[in-house]
Amino acid sequence: MTVSVYSREAIESIIADGKFPENTAVISFCDPELKHIDKDYSRVDYSSACDDVFYCEVDDLDLDYLPEKRYTYESFFPEAPDLAEDINKAFRAGKNIICQCEYGQSRSAGCAAAILEHFYRRGIDIFTDYKYYPNQVVYHKVFDALESAAFQPTEYLQRVYDYSGTKYPFDRNAIEESLNRLPQTKRDILYMYLWEKQSMASIARLVGYEHLRIEQILSVCHRKLAHYIADSMRRELADKKLDVTDFIGMP
C-alpha cells in the first residue's frame, strides 16, 4: 500500500485532468473555520474521481492551542476511530491511500505518517521530509486509533477458505481465538502476507527469519488454518503459473 500526501490545489488539478489513480481511497481534511469566513468555501469534490472518500472536518491546531478552541485532546478529532476503521478497510482491500488537506503539509502529513507508522513502522519518512510539517495531534489521534483496533482478519480468511475449496471445516471461533494468541512478530507477518501480498521470501528477509514457511507460522496456533492458506496459494499460483516457492517459503 502506498500512502501519498496532496494539497487541495494539486489533487483538484489531477481530478480535472482525469488522472486520478485507480484503486485508491482518500482521506480529505476540511477547514471548519473557513466555512464561517468564506461563504464559497467547500470541501474537495471527488464525486467524478473516487467513491471511497473519508472527509474530516478538523482544524489545524497544535496541542497548546486546543484549549483556546475549547478542545481537549480527547474531544479533538472524534472521528479518528471511524477513520481508522476506514483505513483498515482500504488496507484489506489492497487499496492505496491519498491524504489531502488545504496545503498538503500539516494535517494530511500527520495522517500519512500515522498510517505508515502503524503498518510499516515508517512514519519517520514523513517527519524527516522537509516538505511536510506534520500536525502531531492528528498524527497521535490517528495512530492511537489504528493501534487500538483489534486484529481480526477472520472475514478475509473466510474468503480464502471459500476460494481454496479445502475439505477442512471453517471454525470461526477457534480461528479468531487462535489468531489473537499469535505473538506480535508472527501477527505482523500474517498482516504482510494476507493484505500486502508480499512473497514469503521477502517477508522472511525483512523480519530476520532464514527458513520461514507460512504453514509453520500458522500451524503453531491453528494447523487447519495453515492448510486453508496453503491450498489457496497453490491454486492461485497454478492459475498464474508462478513459482510456488516464492510464496510459501524459502527453497
Side-chain angles (χ1 to χ4, degrees), residues 88 91-92 118-119 146 149-153 184 186-197 203:
N88 280 320
F91 184 55
R92 291 193 294 270
H118 170 70
F119 289 110
L146 286 169
F151 177 72
Q152 295 178 338
Q184 186 63 45
K186 291 181 179 179
R187 189 177 296 187
D188 290 345
I189 293 168
L190 187 57
Y191 260 104
M192 286 188 283
Y193 170 69
L194 291 179
W195 293 319
E196 286 297 284
K197 302 299 186 185
I203 293 172

Side-chain angles (χ1 to χ4, degrees), residues 130-178:
Y130 71 93
K131 297 192 299 294
Y132 305 126
Y133 307 92
N135 182 301
Q136 294 204 22
V137 186
V138 170
Y139 167 82
H140 284 288
K141 294 289 287 193
V142 176
F143 180 73
D144 290 347
L146 286 169
E147 289 286 290
S148 64
F151 177 72
Q152 295 178 338
T154 316
E155 294 301 325
Y156 182 92
L157 293 175
Q158 177 74 65
R159 294 197 296 272
V160 170
Y161 169 75
D162 292 342
Y163 175 74
S164 69
T166 178
K167 63 182 179 181
Y168 297 99
F170 192 88
D171 187 338
R172 294 178 64 87
N173 291 333
I175 289 172
E176 190 74 43
E177 292 173 4
S178 300

Side-chain angles (χ1 to χ4, degrees), residues 13-77:
S13 176
I14 289 172
I15 293 172
D17 292 342
K19 296 180 179 179
F20 191 86
E22 297 181 356
N23 197 41
T24 299
V26 174
I27 303 168
S28 180
F29 287 89
C30 317
D31 284 317
E33 286 292 315
L34 282 179
K35 290 197 303 183
H36 304 297
I37 299 171
D38 182 358
K39 64 179 181 179
D40 294 325
Y41 175 80
S42 62
R43 57 193 188 182
V44 175
D45 182 7
Y46 287 93
S47 59
S48 65
C50 179
D51 59 4
D52 190 352
V53 183
F54 193 102
Y55 288 101
C56 306
E57 291 200 358
V58 179
D59 289 310
D60 190 6
L61 301 174
D62 293 328
L63 188 62
D64 292 342
Y65 287 94
L66 293 183
E68 293 187 13
K69 298 293 184 178
R70 298 182 181 179
Y71 288 117
T72 63
Y73 178 82
E74 289 72 24
S75 65
F76 182 74
F77 196 8

Side-chain angles (χ1 to χ4, degrees), residues 109 112-118 120-128 134 139:
I115 297 170
L116 290 173
E117 183 65 19
H118 170 70
Y120 308 110
R121 295 298 184 253
R122 283 181 29 230
I124 192 65
D125 292 356
I126 298 293
F127 279 96
T128 56
Y139 167 82

Side-chain angles (χ1 to χ4, degrees), residues 81-95:
D82 291 336
L83 174 58
E85 182 178 347
D86 206 64
I87 292 168
N88 280 320
K89 286 181 181 178
F91 184 55
R92 291 193 294 270
K95 292 185 177 183

